[in-house]
Amino acid sequence: MSENSNNTTFMASPQLFFTSESVTEGHPDKICDQISDAVLDAIVADDPMARVACETAVTTGLVVVIGEITTMTYVDIGTIARDVVREIGYTRGKFGFDADTCGVIVSIKEQSGDIAQGVNAAKEQREKASEAELDSTGAGDQGMMIGFACDETPEYMPLTIMLAHKLTRRLSEVRRDGTMSYLRPDGKSQVTVEYAYGEPKRVDTVLISTQHAPDITNEQLHAEIKEHVINAIIPAELMDDDTKIYINPTGRFVVGGPLGDAGLTGRKIIVDTYGGIARHGGGAFSGKDATKVDRSAAYMARYIAKNVVAAGLAKRFELQVSYAIGVARPLSVNIETFGTGVVPDEKIIELINKHFDMRPAAIIRELDLRKPVFRQVAAYGHFGRDDLDVTWERTDKAGILRQEAGLT
């Protein structure tokens, strides 16, 4: 049952099961996201004003990097791609992929002049030169972006996706630190939480699928995954005798990574965001510089949503913002509090418009997005990253929102 089919269902249901998934950094699609964002970071580190739209594909023994990049600097994309693959852990042929022997094909061209015209000088600026300087950067494309936050977790994220991410990160930790050295980089998790009236009550199901060496028995794998991964992450009070645990349910996961499946940039957009519990505009993040509102406006929408919830204006909050290519100001702003708002929606929108500037250039300035900060969020989620000092996760405006809403 989807809460988005009826915005009151999730909060009104006495029993509702919701599932989110995560993937490790060695998943084929996530390899691609990380390569694309590593290329982006390398470019903006030297040329902050570069325009980057970098896509990656991987398959058996091959990395392909394509896209449109306009920059004054040079980076060795082939070396960057190999370095990412190596850092992830694909360093030997028996793992199914090898950073030093895989082929790398690069095909890059400049950004379309038609698009550049819209981004370089927004429609408002072209038509009226006296407009404010921040109107001089138009949106890089049309589209709608979603921001979401809730008070289920300290990170203001849904419990389902936070547990799923923590499980996959733990898989990587025990592989890298030698606790379970027979694991390989590819893996997935899935967590189902039972909710009652919008509150998480228990973990109903945990699913772990992880690539492993061929000589490991199922018995050893199951026992050690449960001990070192599941029990280390899932709080004991959320587990009970009815909690179902599945570990490598096919019985074997030796062939993985690009050998087992092709990968593409931007194919894990729900993993990257809110685990399916919020709507999604459809745009991917990785490989795109901050003039692309698919990325920057989604980050701003999350920043707004998190501050609204942190301020206590709502327990659950979703924001949609839409843009037209070459136009700086959003076409629309819509909010949903799922019946949890403590002040009228009109007041929340008034405060958002007062304290958050959603023009692309203003977003870039406010969130400081001309820096190489993107690869670090290309795996394990772009949001809820309290382990990183990313600007869109700050709650520095919660106080003023709460004060002006009359809650203090």
Side-chain angles (χ1 to χ4, degrees), residues 24-201:
T24 65
E25 76 263 35
H27 184 281
D29 295 328
K30 272 293 145 205
I31 296 172
C32 296
D33 288 342
Q34 291 167 93
I35 291 173
S36 293
D37 272 340
V39 172
L40 171 61
D41 275 0
I43 291 171
V44 300
D46 192 50
D47 181 8
M49 303 304 292
R51 301 283 165 74
V52 181
C54 180
E55 310 284 348
T56 304
V58 297
T59 187
T60 305
L62 181 63
V63 177
V64 180
V65 184
I66 62 174
E68 297 80 41
I69 297 176
T70 302
T71 181
M72 300 298 292
T73 192
Y74 168 81
V75 299
D76 187 337
I77 293 176
T79 297
I80 291 170
R82 292 184 190 279
D83 287 345
V84 171
V85 173
R86 185 178 300 107
E87 290 164 16
I88 289 170
Y90 287 112
T91 56
R92 303 177 68 180
K94 69 178 183 178
F95 296 170
F97 205 64
D98 183 358
D100 294 314
T101 62
C102 67
V104 179
I105 297 174
V106 178
S107 180
I108 298 293
K109 59 183 180 180
E110 286 192 344
Q111 183 184 56
S112 160
D114 292 345
I115 296 175
Q117 173 181 297
V119 178
N120 291 342
K123 181 176 183 294
E124 297 98 320
Q125 182 72 6
R126 296 194 303 273
E127 293 179 353
K128 190 174 182 181
S130 62
E131 287 289 337
E133 182 180 354
L134 289 178
D135 277 330
S136 65
T137 299
D141 203 351
Q142 70 178 45
M144 57 279 190
M145 296 80 208
I146 303 295
F148 179 82
C150 61
D151 65 357
E152 289 178 28
T153 64
E155 298 89 357
Y156 295 97
M157 289 284 286
L159 180 63
T160 52
I161 189 65
M162 290 310 300
L163 290 178
H165 282 323
K166 288 178 181 180
L167 287 170
T168 50
R169 289 178 66 185
R170 182 63 180 164
L171 279 176
S172 179
E173 290 171 5
V174 297
R175 169 175 63 90
R176 292 175 180 275
D177 68 17
T179 302
M180 299 178 66
S181 58
Y182 56 82
L183 297 184
R184 301 292 185 254
D186 197 358
K188 295 181 177 182
S189 72
Q190 189 168 287
V191 176
T192 302
V193 171
E194 179 183 345
Y195 288 84
Y197 302 107
E199 297 292 333
K201 295 301 181 184

Side-chain angles (χ1 to χ4, degrees), residues 5 11 21 32 70 101 106 116 139 153 183 284 313 336 344 371 373:
S5 64
M11 303 304 294
E21 73 160 344
C32 296
T70 302
T101 62
V106 178
T153 64
L183 297 184
L313 305 187
E336 173 62 69
K371 294 182 178 180
V373 296

Side-chain angles (χ1 to χ4, degrees), residues 23 41 54 61 144 156 191 206 231 235 279 282 309 333 342 360 394:
V23 300
D41 275 0
C54 180
M144 57 279 190
Y156 295 97
V191 176
V206 179
N231 290 346
R279 296 171 178 88
V309 175
V333 177
V342 299
R394 296 175 183 172

